[in-house]
Amino acid sequence: RIFANQAAAAIVSAAHQRELSFLADHDPLTRLLNRRAFVARLDAEVARAIRYKRSFGLVICDLDGFKGLNDRLGHPAGDEALLVFSRILEAALRKGDEAFRIGGDELALVLAEAGEEQAREVVKRITDDGSGPPASFGIASCPEHARDSQALFRLADEALYDAKRTGGGLQ
């Protein structure tokens, strides 16, 4: 019995350790990669794109009216909207692309070997789904729009806010 208890405790401990390791790079709600992983991937992709003369796309998106949704229906409804939207993002991605929750209702997509046109195609797959909450998107690509991660992020974020100012959608 003592051995069985120790073995059970070891199994539970190993499961907890795996979960803690997973959460170091993943958001606990959506299970998408988190901001820490995003920053590392973005820096690596910029370096790779510059070194090998390749492109990649960055999409920043957030849910339209998210604060109002939380205020009207409560945070569980907001969480559910994030979960639904996260699954839609994952389904729209190609192999090698990744989705990140970088804060609140803001998410990012790093699209390997993609320029602006391919990024727009991914966004179209997301918006054509129709089952998710309304969202706005901003796109920038490296090296076409910027050659460093901070400038690339700033441009995609500015495009997102331009889209929001003009009624949502894609900019």
Side-chain angles (χ1 to χ4, degrees), residues 67-88:
K67 182 182 179 336
L69 174 68
N70 278 335
D71 291 347
R72 278 190 329 278
L73 301 175
H75 291 278
D79 288 351
E80 183 60 28
L82 281 168
L83 287 169
V84 167
F85 192 63
S86 296
R87 299 296 85 75
I88 292 168

Side-chain angles (χ1 to χ4, degrees), residues 59-64 102 105-107 135-140 153-171:
V59 178
I60 305 293
C61 51
D62 72 11
L63 304 184
D64 296 336
I102 58 176
D105 67 325
E106 193 170 49
L107 299 108
S136 294
F137 302 85
I139 294 173
F153 181 83
R154 182 180 44 76
L155 290 171
D157 203 43
E158 287 172 2
L160 167 68
Y161 283 98
D162 286 346
K164 289 185 110 28
R165 276 192 293 278
T166 60
L170 173 63
Q171 196 67 333

